[in-house]
Amino acid sequence: MTADPSPPVRLPEPPTRPTLTREYLAAAALALIDAHGLRKFSMRKLGTAVGFDPMAVYRHYDDQEDLFDGVAETLFTEVNVDTLPWDGPWRELAQNYCLRLRDTLLRHPQAVPLFATRPVRSPASIDTGVKMLTKLSDAGIPPAQGLRIIRCLREFTIGHTLAIAVTKLGADQRSRKPEPGSPDYNLLAEAADATTLDDHFETGLTAILSGFEQSARMR
Amino acid sequence: MTADPSPPVRLPEPPTRPTLTREYLAAAALALIDAHGLRKFSMRKLGTAVGFDPMAVYRHYDDQEDLFDGVAETLFTEVNVDTLPWDGPWRELAQNYCLRLRDTLLRHPQAVPLFATRPVRSPASIDTGVKMLTKLSDAGIPPAQGLRIIRCLREFTIGHTLAIAVTKLGADQRSRKPEPGSPDYNLLAEAADATTLDDHFETGLTAILSGFEQSARMR
DNA sequence: ACCTGAACACCGTTCAAGT
DNA sequence: ACCTGAACACCGTTCAAGT
């Protein structure tokens, strides 16, 4: 409590040593996974990549499982659900959500298997689920049915994105076309040429939504 | 070429040393994954588990990636697609295929992430795809649209099964319910109680199929 | 010719020892 | 009090050396 009346000396900015945070580490981990693939990632590489001890990550995350949960959360944040059309009709909202989730994940194909194999438990994603459910509820859809719709859409979106991602990544290292000798090669090749790897996503989404709407009308 | 006219001595069965085959190794790997989880699995453990050198597997599979492809093939074989109702209507066929695939995978929850993150490249599964496509083609559905339908169904089925599997496995070690303090807890809890984890699968399948049929009618 | 297992370059995670 | 990095118990994969 010894007050100093003279104006405090204005020191120059000290050389700041960057501090590790959970968020920064998760973002850095995602960048490493994007760059070199999930297989090549390691806790030690992350620590050294951010300029710290190989073990530094353990002061912020319990273990790799915990860190990967953080990476999944980073991905979910990138979806930026706040800017979805929450005031429009629920079908538009749901469809936009799925498209956004797909686009976000496809920007990080190497991380899709990580995201897809993790149960949703982050508060942010649970919160989004609740908001969506409320929206459907306001439109007259009972919660049980609403939950079914949301789960179906989410599962289709992730299944689709996963298929695209692993095909894209696998294609780099191995061959993918069936041998042209096969008798039915023409049918498959013709079909595969006529439809790109992902042009069926919106078709599928629409089908699910129409299907549910139809079953609602028949109830 | 020295022929011996006396009847050959009938020797007792020699102690047979079991020989490793690709199929047996893949089945054994699946059993280990079922028992201890994908994380705990290793090439060395597989070799010793079957009573051979830790490196024995490398004489039959190039590397772990190659072995896992074999495990995925084993799983696909267990689906037993030959006994599907190939002579019935295509909707029945497709639906049965999806249900069978789901049931098979859910018998091996620990292996679902492996199966889901592997592009289909085994001859058997490509063959099944071609047969299905032919079936739809016979029903008047153009190949491009048929491929879209098949892909959607497959992606939904795998996305669904993956969600069920990781939730089931994750529930063993962590908590899963949202904190009861949350304001919308009641809505979510009520909905979750009213619908089990997987009662929406057939609903979703039906929705997809109805949706596609509807869009076909409007074409 | 075939198989083994030593060796290499890594891992995730813990924890005693240092500052 | 905080952080480091040695240490432990593993990995996947290669390949020289043995039989």
Side-chain angles (χ1 to χ4, degrees), chain A residues 59-80:
Chain A
R59 270 177 288 133
H60 298 86
Y61 287 100
D62 287 345
D63 50 24
Q64 199 175 69
E65 196 70 12
D66 194 20
L67 171 68
F68 282 177
D69 281 344
V71 173
E73 228 171 301
T74 300
L75 284 166
F76 183 79
T77 304
E78 198 179 312
V79 175
N80 202 4

Side-chain angles (χ1 to χ4, degrees), chain A residues 39 65 116 130 134 147-148 151-152 155 159-160 162 174 184 187 195-196 199-200 203 207-208 211-212 214, chain B residues 64-65 116 130 134 147-148 151-152 155 159-160 162 174 184 187 195-196 199-200 203 207-208 211-212 214:
Chain A
R39 285 239 96 101
E65 196 70 12
V130 171
T134 309
L147 195 53
R148 272 192 282 264
R151 281 181 178 162
C152 280
E155 287 158 10
H160 172 83
L162 191 56
R174 318 208 184 208
D184 289 302
L187 187 65
T195 175
T196 68
D199 80 339
H200 64 289
T203 315
I208 293 177
F212 270 113
Q214 195 172 314
Chain B
Q64 199 175 68
E65 196 69 13
V130 171
T134 308
L147 195 53
R148 273 192 282 265
R151 281 181 178 162
C152 279
E155 286 158 10
H160 172 83
L162 190 56
R174 319 209 184 207
D184 289 304
L187 187 64
T195 174
T196 68
D199 79 339
H200 65 289
T203 315
I208 293 177
F212 270 112
Q214 195 172 314

Side-chain angles (χ1 to χ4, degrees), chain A residues 39 63-66 68-69 113 116-121 123 126-127 129-130 133-134 137 143-145 147-149 151-153 155-156 158-164 166-167 170 173-179 182 184-185 187-188 190-201 203-212 214-215 217, chain B residues 39 63-66 68-69 113 116-121 123 126-127 129-130 133-134 137 143-145 147-149 151-153 155-156 158-164 166-167 170 173-179 182 184-185 187-188 190-201 203-212 214-215 217:
Chain A
R39 285 239 96 101
D63 50 24
Q64 199 175 69
E65 196 70 12
D66 194 20
F68 282 177
D69 281 344
T117 54
R118 221 143 284 278
V120 264
R121 42 168 157 262
I126 290 177
D127 191 57
V130 171
L133 204 53
T134 309
S137 192
Q145 178 74 349
L147 195 53
R148 272 192 282 264
I149 295 176
R151 281 181 178 162
C152 280
L153 290 174
E155 287 158 10
F156 172 59
I158 287 176
H160 172 83
T161 309
L162 191 56
I164 302 289
V166 301
T167 303
Q173 35 213 212
R174 318 208 184 208
S175 70
R176 66 235 79 125
K177 296 222 168 190
E179 316 86 80
S182 149
D184 289 302
Y185 174 73
L187 187 65
L188 189 60
E190 183 192 325
D193 285 347
T195 175
T196 68
L197 208 52
D198 64 351
D199 80 339
H200 64 289
F201 184 60
T203 315
L205 274 188
T206 309
I208 293 177
L209 290 167
S210 306
F212 270 113
Q214 195 172 314
S215 82
R217 264 200 302 280
Chain B
R39 285 239 94 102
D63 50 24
Q64 199 175 68
E65 196 69 13
D66 194 21
F68 283 178
D69 281 344
T117 55
R118 220 144 285 277
V120 263
R121 45 169 155 260
I126 290 178
D127 191 57
V130 171
L133 203 53
T134 308
S137 192
Q145 177 74 347
L147 195 53
R148 273 192 282 265
I149 295 176
R151 281 181 178 162
C152 279
L153 290 173
E155 286 158 10
F156 173 57
I158 287 178
H160 172 83
T161 309
L162 190 56
I164 302 289
V166 301
T167 304
Q173 36 213 211
R174 319 209 184 207
S175 70
R176 68 236 77 127
K177 295 223 168 188
E179 315 85 82
S182 150
D184 289 304
Y185 174 73
L187 187 64
L188 189 61
E190 183 192 324
D193 284 348
T195 174
T196 68
L197 207 52
D198 64 351
D199 79 339
H200 65 289
F201 184 60
T203 315
L205 274 188
T206 309
I208 293 177
L209 290 167
S210 305
F212 270 112
Q214 195 172 314
S215 81
R217 263 199 304 279

